[in-house]
Amino acid sequence: MPPYTQPAETDPTPWWRLPIVWMVIGGPAVVVVASFATLTLALSNPDPVISVPPTASASEQPAVQGRNHAARPGR
């Protein structure tokens, strides 16, 4: 049986001086700040509501007719 040894002395460094702690806290903190920045941008610059759909040009008419024909039920 090995002789009894004293346990190793613990490191007296406080938790806020460890870089890994700031990596763990910093990641989610950056995401929260970025989400508030995104919310601010979204609320200050809303997209306008378009009430009248844009009209198709003459070159787009065959595609629009084909789309409408494919989407029509019963044919």
Side-chain angles (χ1 to χ4, degrees):
M1 189 156 162
Y4 178 76
T5 59
Q6 293 288 337
E9 188 176 320
T10 59
D11 188 12
T13 305
W15 66 268
W16 63 85
R17 295 206 181 235
L18 298 174
I20 190 72
V21 171
W22 293 110
M23 289 178 63
V24 170
I25 294 172
V30 168
V31 171
V32 169
V33 169
S35 67
F36 280 113
T38 303
L39 178 65
T40 302
L41 287 172
L43 293 177
S44 64
N45 301 318
D47 289 336
V49 176
I50 300 174
S51 59
V52 179
T55 58
S57 65
S59 64
E60 296 173 346
Q61 282 301 329
V64 172
Q65 288 174 353
R67 179 199 66 198
N68 291 343
H69 178 73
R72 193 176 333 166
R75 286 199 179 175

